[in-house]
Amino acid sequence: MKSKVKKLTNSFRLSIFQKYLTISVSIILICMIALGITMLIFVANYWEEEKKENLIENANQVASVIVAASDYNSINRTLIVEDPELFTITISTIAQSVDADIFVVNNKGIFEYCSEQGTCTHQDKILSSDILGSTAGGNFFEFGTLDGYYEDTHYTAGVPIIASEAGLSEIVAFCYVSTRSSFVSGLTMSMMRIFLTAAIITLLVSFVFVGILSYNMAKPLRQMSNAAKKFAVGDFSARVTATGDNEVGELALAFNHMADSLTASEGMRRSFIANVSHELKTPMTTIAGFVDGMLDGTIPPERHKHYMKIVSLEVKRLSRLVQSMLSLSRIDNGELKLNKQEFEMFSVIVNVLAGFEQKISEKNIEIRGLEDFRKLKVDADPDLMHQVIYNLIENAVKFTNENGYISFGVVQTKYDISVAIENSGPGIPPEDIRFVFDRFYKTDKSRSMDKKGMGLGLFITRSIMRLHGGYIFVESEPDKYCRFTFKLPTIMKQYEKPQSAKYIETTANTDGEDK
């Protein structure tokens, strides 16, 4: 049932392309309709105003002709036309020229003269007193049937006919000019046809162009949707074609950058799993082999103690690996928090060196520069800084040559404290120096010197320094020395990292670590 509902929902769902096209065409259609209605109203009002002025002007002219061609009978209070036949011909001519009916009624609304020679529709009708009153008050204009005077709608204008005698003026009749509204209806229909033709052409052109635009705008989104589906199944090879300098183009570029990041992350994940598997497999294989040898008698009892020491070292190696993995997990999850407090750097360095005293003595390593640290206090997380110092000293002791040296240096300014740990020895090859902070990276590929290292120390060190707002970089000259320098800020400041450093940790292509 749910699948049927989902299919039905999908069948009614519009794509972005369809929505954009529908909305755009609808807006254009609404605008065209609004424009058409506005234009028709404007033209109708303009035509009506023009018609009103024209009909009133013609009515005034006819009224002037009537007054000029008539004598006023003051007793009967009427106008007497001297030549009715000539008068009828005159107003008929005027009516034909303006395409209208012209008729005259007396002050009681009774028909007197008409432009229609012979029998006409007006002679048996009487205008209402309301229309006569409106006309007597000035110019009269109406669009309608003239209170039933006509069967269909007309534009009608009327003016009073005023006679004067002995300085007195009196309304003796009314002249009306009327024309059918069929011309206006025809004009309206003609304009409507023209408008509809133009609207249809405009809509078709708009539909094509908006359709192309909508398709091109939605294309990157469709590509992103398809690419996202591939990402969901582990295929990160898909990319989106980024076109146009707009928001969609920026989104496509950001999507491609995300895809590149996912690809790199997936590569790192696989490399991480492979490295962890290898690091776990090696000591476990060694432990299992020696334990099985002791159990099945392959290793004689007198050699058990020797091989148990090896097993103990491998167990400690596994413990360090697990601890490093836990630190790595805390870093990746953002769970590594600072607990800042003021402490002496000298005591931390001395305590770490004490842990390597035996190895330092075996190699006859000279320790230099500690006198500069006796009064050095820093504001940082003491536990995390202990781990930083431990990782750097461990690497230095491991790779320092026989009768070599480990040198400590410090430079303190008002903005930061720089601590350098340098050791003599083979150094780091130029082709490897940019990778020393990568996870599981080791410069000693043969592991002849770095048998216990897991390639995580320097990565963790770099992460700790970033957490403190500082940074770490390395300088090395093959067969001479290797120097790691880290900086701790004393106040918030944007650092300008030294250009002389051969490698600065933030330039690494991939996340990583230790020699």
Side-chain angles (χ1 to χ4, degrees), residues 19 63 122 140 153 169 172 179-180 245 358 380 386 436 448 465 477 503:
K19 287 181 180 179
H122 310 114
F140 169 81
T153 55
S169 299
V172 294
T179 183
R180 285 186 174 87
D245 186 15
Q358 183 179 352
H386 181 278
V436 293
S448 60
M465 293 311 303
E477 191 171 340
Y503 174 70

Side-chain angles (χ1 to χ4, degrees), residues 145-164:
T145 61
L146 203 61
D147 201 15
Y149 207 76
Y150 292 104
E151 294 181 357
D152 53 357
T153 55
H154 279 63
Y155 283 106
T156 304
V159 295
I161 299 175
I162 302 173
S164 300

Side-chain angles (χ1 to χ4, degrees), residues 72 74 77-78 107 161-165 168-173:
Y72 176 60
S74 58
R77 301 173 65 186
T78 59
N107 50 18
I161 299 175
I162 302 173
S164 300
E165 184 177 8
L168 299 175
S169 299
E170 183 179 7
I171 298 176
V172 294

Side-chain angles (χ1 to χ4, degrees), residues 126-147:
I126 299 176
L127 286 179
S128 66
S129 58
D130 292 338
I131 295 176
L132 295 178
S134 298
T135 309
N139 296 332
F140 169 81
F141 181 79
E142 180 194 77
F143 174 67
T145 61
L146 203 61
D147 201 15

Side-chain angles (χ1 to χ4, degrees), residues 8-189:
L8 185 62
T9 303
N10 290 337
S11 65
F12 287 104
R13 185 182 64 186
L14 294 177
S15 65
I16 292 179
F17 164 70
Q18 292 171 323
K19 287 181 180 179
Y20 186 83
L21 182 61
T22 302
I23 292 173
S24 299
V25 173
S26 299
I27 292 174
I28 294 173
L29 182 60
I30 292 172
C31 291
M32 293 294 291
I33 292 174
L35 177 63
I37 293 173
T38 304
M39 192 169 71
L40 286 175
I41 293 173
F42 176 79
V43 171
N45 290 337
Y46 178 79
W47 169 258
E48 186 173 306
E49 195 65 28
E50 285 290 312
K51 197 68 176 177
K52 177 181 178 180
E53 294 179 1
N54 187 41
L55 291 179
I56 291 175
E57 182 180 355
N58 289 324
N60 284 321
Q61 290 179 355
V62 173
S64 300
V65 170
I66 292 174
V67 172
S70 304
D71 292 328
Y72 176 60
N73 187 339
S74 58
I75 298 174
N76 297 327
R77 301 173 65 186
T78 59
L79 285 176
I80 300 175
V81 178
E82 297 178 355
D83 191 347
E85 184 176 353
L86 178 61
F87 174 73
T88 302
I89 294 173
T90 301
I91 62 174
S92 296
T93 303
I94 295 174
Q96 290 177 4
S97 65
V98 297
D99 190 24
D101 297 336
I102 300 176
F103 60 94
V104 179
V105 298
N106 59 23
N107 50 18
K108 295 181 180 180
I110 299 174
F111 170 80
E112 293 287 348
Y113 302 101
C114 181
S115 59
E116 297 179 14
Q117 300 181 26
T119 304
C120 68
T121 58
H122 310 114
Q123 59 186 357
D124 296 328
K125 298 179 180 179
I126 299 176
L127 286 179
S128 66
S129 58
D130 292 338
I131 295 176
L132 295 178
S134 298
T135 309
N139 296 332
F140 169 81
F141 181 79
E142 180 194 77
F143 174 67
T145 61
L146 203 61
D147 201 15
Y149 207 76
Y150 292 104
E151 294 181 357
D152 53 357
T153 55
H154 279 63
Y155 283 106
T156 304
V159 295
I161 299 175
I162 302 173
S164 300
E165 184 177 8
L168 299 175
S169 299
E170 183 179 7
I171 298 176
V172 294
F174 298 94
C175 177
Y176 293 91
V177 180
S178 181
T179 183
R180 285 186 174 87
S181 62
S182 58
F183 175 76
V184 178
S185 299
L187 176 63
T188 303
M189 292 305 297

Side-chain angles (χ1 to χ4, degrees), residues 25 60 112 118-119 129-130 132 138 152 174 190 212 236 261 263 296 304 311 338 346 413 418 426 453 462 477 498:
V25 173
N60 284 321
E112 293 287 348
T119 304
S129 58
D130 292 338
L132 295 178
D152 53 357
F174 298 94
S190 297
I212 295 173
F236 301 104
S261 178
T263 302
D296 61 17
H304 283 189
V311 169
L338 290 181
F346 177 78
T413 69
S418 299
R462 181 185 67 174
E477 191 171 340

Side-chain angles (χ1 to χ4, degrees), residues 444-469:
D444 182 23
K445 304 296 190 301
S446 66
R447 301 184 180 230
S448 60
M449 299 176 65
D450 191 11
K451 293 181 179 180
K452 298 179 181 178
M454 294 162 286
L456 290 174
L458 288 180
F459 172 76
I460 294 173
T461 298
R462 181 185 67 174
S463 300
I464 292 173
M465 293 311 303
R466 284 179 172 176
L467 200 62
H468 280 83

